[in-house]
Amino acid sequence: TTTETICEQLKSGLAGRVSGLRVLTNSPRIERLLEEPNTPINVIGVGGQLRKDTSARTGYLFEECIQAWSHMRVDIALVGATSLRFDRLRRPRGFACDSEAEARTKAMFLELADLRCVVMDSSKCSKSSSSAFEFSSVSAEVVHVVIMDAELVATGRVEECVDWFEQ
């Protein structure tokens, strides 16, 4: 997934350095990626029911964990989007995923953070969404940064996408 790619970049970028970086995740795959003793990243796994199709913990137990940690603030949230939902005029309306529980999980992660980022591959900007559960609107007040792969440059649609997110 795109979020795993970002974690791999973090891991390789911090190799051999001292870091106080702490990653809070609901993904066992991210935990495994960062578990090596020589990786200078502290990992905190959040509980919940494991969704085997996405390898993410969600649901009631996840919400209880986050609510118990309500005093905690996170500097940066990196939340992956399964799709970008559009309105009737083909303007982006919201970031979405395939599960109601996972949408709630993503929204809660965003609420914890001072800097809220959505991560998605550029193909999400050109196809219709089959994901029904929006976790965030496409709004600079809610999502501060959208991170995409370089393939967007090849499509020649960079300005169009930037305009979407600046509105």
Side-chain angles (χ1 to χ4, degrees):
T1 69
T2 312
T3 50
E4 288 174 30
T5 301
I6 288 175
C7 280
E8 288 170 355
Q9 292 296 315
L10 270 175
K11 180 180 173 180
S12 66
L14 292 174
R17 298 182 184 186
V18 175
S19 169
L21 183 64
R22 182 174 32 196
V23 172
L24 177 68
T25 184
N26 66 324
S27 170
R29 286 194 298 218
I30 300 279
E31 289 173 15
R32 283 190 299 277
L33 181 68
L34 301 175
E35 74 183 354
E36 295 173 15
N38 61 344
T39 301
I41 299 172
N42 297 311
V43 181
I44 300 170
V46 181
Q49 180 177 352
L50 181 65
R51 289 194 61 210
K52 292 181 182 178
D53 60 332
T54 62
S55 186
R57 294 186 195 96
T58 63
Y60 176 76
L61 291 175
F62 171 85
E63 291 182 25
E64 288 293 310
C65 284
I66 292 298
Q67 287 171 4
W69 298 343
S70 62
H71 64 282
M72 182 173 56
R73 291 297 300 161
V74 175
D75 293 326
I76 303 170
L78 297 169
V79 175
T82 306
S83 64
L84 183 61
R85 302 218 8 149
F86 296 90
D87 65 16
R88 289 186 192 108
L89 300 174
R90 292 289 303 151
R91 294 177 302 211
R93 180 179 85 198
F95 299 102
C97 61
D98 298 323
S99 157
E100 184 176 7
E102 196 154 352
R104 178 84 178 123
T105 298
K106 292 171 185 283
M108 290 178 83
F109 266 133
L110 290 173
E111 288 171 16
L112 284 174
D114 293 327
L115 179 62
R116 297 180 295 269
C117 307
V118 170
V119 179
M120 59 187 222
D121 68 75
S122 59
S123 69
K124 311 292 194 301
C125 290
S126 59
K127 64 182 178 184
S128 295
S129 169
S130 60
S131 300
F133 303 99
E134 286 185 29
F135 60 86
S136 173
S137 65
V138 176
S139 162
E141 289 85 38
V142 180
V143 173
H144 304 125
V145 178
V146 178
I147 301 170
M148 286 190 253
D149 58 284
E151 293 300 315
L152 186 63
V153 175
T155 67
R157 299 183 63 218
V158 172
E159 288 81 19
E160 177 186 5
C161 290
V162 168
D163 288 344
W164 284 345
F165 298 116
E166 288 183 343
Q167 295 176 5

